[in-house]
Amino acid sequence: MTRSDLVEELAARFAQLTHRDAELAVKTVLDAMSDALVKGHRIEIRGFGSFSINRRPPRVGRNPRSGESVQIPEKRVPHFKPGKALREAVDAGTQALANSAENAAP
């Protein structure tokens, strides 16, 4: 699902929202989440999952072309951990797809 798909789904599900309002709502939520992560905060959405920042320590890497050692600096990267409800829903959907594929095979 892309950002545009999310806007379309929101506009379709809530008739009182215009397409522009739905687009603004999605942009506002995503911007707020991005700002919180940039500040180092953790985001928890019950039933969905949590976003946090992981620290990758500095390390020595190799340039694949020349083979020389390269110093890679420390990085902070976003990390998503799905919640229990989301994990179970995805697992149930995967099992349903597998079962329907087995039943469709001759």
Side-chain angles (χ1 to χ4, degrees):
M1 175 177 264
T2 64
R3 186 180 190 144
S4 302
D5 294 338
L6 190 57
V7 169
E8 293 296 328
E9 180 73 24
L10 194 61
R13 195 173 287 190
F14 298 100
Q16 68 270 24
L17 285 179
T18 64
H19 189 273
R20 175 171 270 153
D21 290 341
E23 196 171 329
L24 180 63
V26 169
K27 182 182 180 334
T28 302
V29 169
L30 294 177
D31 286 348
M33 291 174 72
S34 295
D35 291 345
L37 288 173
V38 166
K39 292 175 184 173
H41 298 287
R42 184 172 181 271
I43 302 167
E44 183 177 330
I45 303 171
R46 302 277 174 168
F48 183 72
S50 61
F51 296 87
S52 59
I53 297 295
N54 281 356
R55 177 186 166 271
R56 289 191 186 159
R59 61 190 172 92
V60 176
R62 297 229 176 263
N63 180 334
R65 190 170 286 173
S66 66
E68 73 180 70
S69 294
V70 178
Q71 201 53 32
I72 300 173
E74 175 180 342
K75 289 184 181 183
R76 292 176 25 180
V77 293
H79 173 75
F80 175 71
K81 181 178 179 188
K84 182 179 178 185
L86 178 59
R87 282 194 318 268
E88 290 173 351
V90 168
D91 187 42
T94 303
Q95 290 176 357
L97 284 175
N99 290 338
S100 65
E102 287 175 7
N103 295 335

